[in-house]
Amino acid sequence: MKAIECRLPQEIDKSFIVFQERGTYFPYPWHYHPEYELVLITKSTGRRMVGDHIGYFDEEDLVFMGPALPHVWVNDEKYANGNGDTEAEAIVIQFVEGFLGDFFLNIPELEPLKKMLQRSKRGMAISGKAREQINCLMKKMLHQNGLQRLSSLFAIFDILSTCREYELLANPNYQQTVQASNCSDRFSKITDHIMRNFSSDIPLHEIAAVGNMSITAFCNFFKQHHKMTFTEYLNVVRVGHACKLLGEKDHNVVGIAYDCGYNSLANFNRQFKKIKNMTPSEYRKTLSI
């Protein structure tokens, strides 16, 4: 079974990803990515595969995985068929090793965390009190921004550093079969173009050409690896930048809308509320400005 590289959208004003997956079932296939990842299941049941390990997941299941470790969460049939009592839900945290700088992990205080990150290359199912504490923090992070969210991540790092309640999942002899390809390079070119030009119109033929693909091939590639369309991803990037600008007093909402690439305030408000579940003005109030 060949793993594909998948990416979650990262807001432009955030140094790491906190993402809530919600739907009839979890859509990601057998996949990998370059980030460390914490996955908390809040609703749904089923089987999870991490490397060569197959286990069962239930609500509150928590797994920590290192980069490039193939994995998949397969919902029970009732969810896949749309017959579950609730939607399938999960909270995901992703971060790259150097997200706080190249030398961050080399400071003496983080030596225990470095050892835990090394263990995560096999995948770790966290249990006991550590799981309860981390799960509580992850749920709060969905409603936090800025320094609060970063502080919660550091609290999680502290718990992971001293955690003894875990099960290593993949066999120590498990050989990762992920092969280097031009996929990551293509991701980098496409993402860089989006980040440099999101405040302007980016037509499909232009972004497809960046990836050296036809429009149809690009749309299929993007949807397969991001589980959302290019337009949906672009709106996530734009709204993330808007959140940054809303934290600055000298920007009004109308100006922010145009600075983020929207040609109308109505469309900006609609997309912002769809992604943040509140209007830009309501979001600004949460920042206590």
Side-chain angles (χ1 to χ4, degrees):
M1 182 165 50
K2 184 178 179 180
I4 67 169
E5 185 174 356
C6 288
R7 298 290 185 92
L8 291 176
Q10 180 168 350
E11 297 178 64
I12 197 169
D13 64 329
K14 304 293 191 300
S15 60
F16 63 97
I17 295 171
V18 179
F19 182 81
Q20 184 173 38
E21 185 69 61
R22 179 183 294 164
T24 305
Y25 59 93
F26 299 137
Y28 290 92
W30 180 242
H31 70 284
Y32 67 97
H33 38 72
E35 298 88 0
Y36 289 91
E37 181 174 70
L38 271 162
V39 177
L40 164 61
I41 304 299
T42 52
K43 294 180 182 178
S44 189
T45 57
R47 290 177 294 111
R48 53 169 157 76
M49 297 174 62
V50 179
D52 59 355
H53 173 88
I54 300 177
Y56 191 79
F57 71 84
D58 204 338
E59 293 183 3
E60 302 301 308
D61 185 69
L62 179 66
V63 174
F64 181 40
M65 295 169 290
L69 178 62
H71 56 276
V72 65
W73 269 245
V74 181
N75 305 91
D76 283 334
E77 188 174 351
K78 64 179 180 179
Y79 290 93
N81 293 335
N83 297 321
D85 298 332
T86 64
E87 287 188 320
E89 290 185 3
I91 302 171
V92 178
I93 294 176
Q94 289 185 349
F95 59 92
V96 295
E97 187 165 302
F99 82 106
L100 288 174
D102 294 337
F103 302 103
F104 173 69
L105 285 174
N106 291 325
I107 63 176
E109 291 85 353
L110 291 184
E111 188 61 32
L113 178 62
K114 287 179 66 176
K115 294 179 180 179
M116 183 63 71
L117 294 179
Q118 184 65 29
R119 296 187 192 104
S120 74
K121 293 181 180 180
R122 289 175 55 189
M124 307 169 62
I126 311 297
S127 59
K129 187 176 180 181
R131 181 177 71 177
E132 293 177 10
Q133 293 173 328
I134 293 174
N135 288 5
C136 182
L137 286 164
M138 289 180 68
K139 292 172 184 177
K140 289 180 179 179
M141 289 171 78
L142 291 174
H143 311 289
Q144 294 176 333
N145 286 287
L147 192 56
Q148 283 185 332
R149 180 178 283 195
L150 185 59
S151 176
S152 292
L153 182 63
F154 270 81
I156 291 173
F157 285 167
D158 183 45
I159 297 167
L160 287 174
S161 296
T162 58
C163 176
R164 296 294 180 268
E165 301 167 294
Y166 61 83
E167 174 192 0
L168 293 175
L169 301 179
N171 190 290
N173 297 321
Y174 172 72
Q175 297 295 314
Q176 297 182 24
T177 57
V178 174
Q179 299 295 322
S181 68
N182 64 354
C183 190
S184 291
D185 183 55
R186 182 172 283 169
F187 269 123
S188 297
K189 289 179 179 178
I190 291 171
T191 301
D192 182 66
H193 189 81
I194 293 171
M195 292 304 176
R196 290 177 182 274
N197 299 282
F198 67 83
S199 59
S200 305
D201 183 44
I202 306 178
L204 274 174
H205 69 83
E206 177 182 307
I207 192 66
V210 172
N212 196 27
M213 291 180 282
S214 68
I215 291 177
T216 300
F218 169 79
C219 290
N220 291 336
F221 170 86
F222 205 93
K223 187 69 180 286
Q224 179 187 32
H225 292 277
H226 288 277
K227 299 307 167 189
M228 64 178 66
T229 67
F230 166 68
T231 300
E232 290 170 335
Y233 185 93
L234 183 59
N235 279 319
V236 170
V237 172
R238 287 172 169 172
V239 167
H241 184 59
C243 290
K244 178 178 181 294
L245 296 180
L246 285 165
E248 302 172 7
K249 295 181 180 180
D250 56 344
H251 288 87
N252 61 56
V253 173
V254 175
I256 289 173
Y258 287 97
D259 286 345
C260 293
Y262 292 100
N263 293 323
S264 77
L265 181 60
N267 187 33
F268 171 59
N269 285 331
R270 182 167 57 252
Q271 297 300 334
F272 194 100
K273 189 167 186 178
K274 182 179 179 180
I275 293 169
K276 290 295 184 180
N277 295 315
M278 65 181 76
T279 67
S281 297
E282 290 169 341
Y283 179 86
R284 172 165 268 176
K285 289 178 181 177
T286 68
L287 303 178
S288 301
I289 296 177

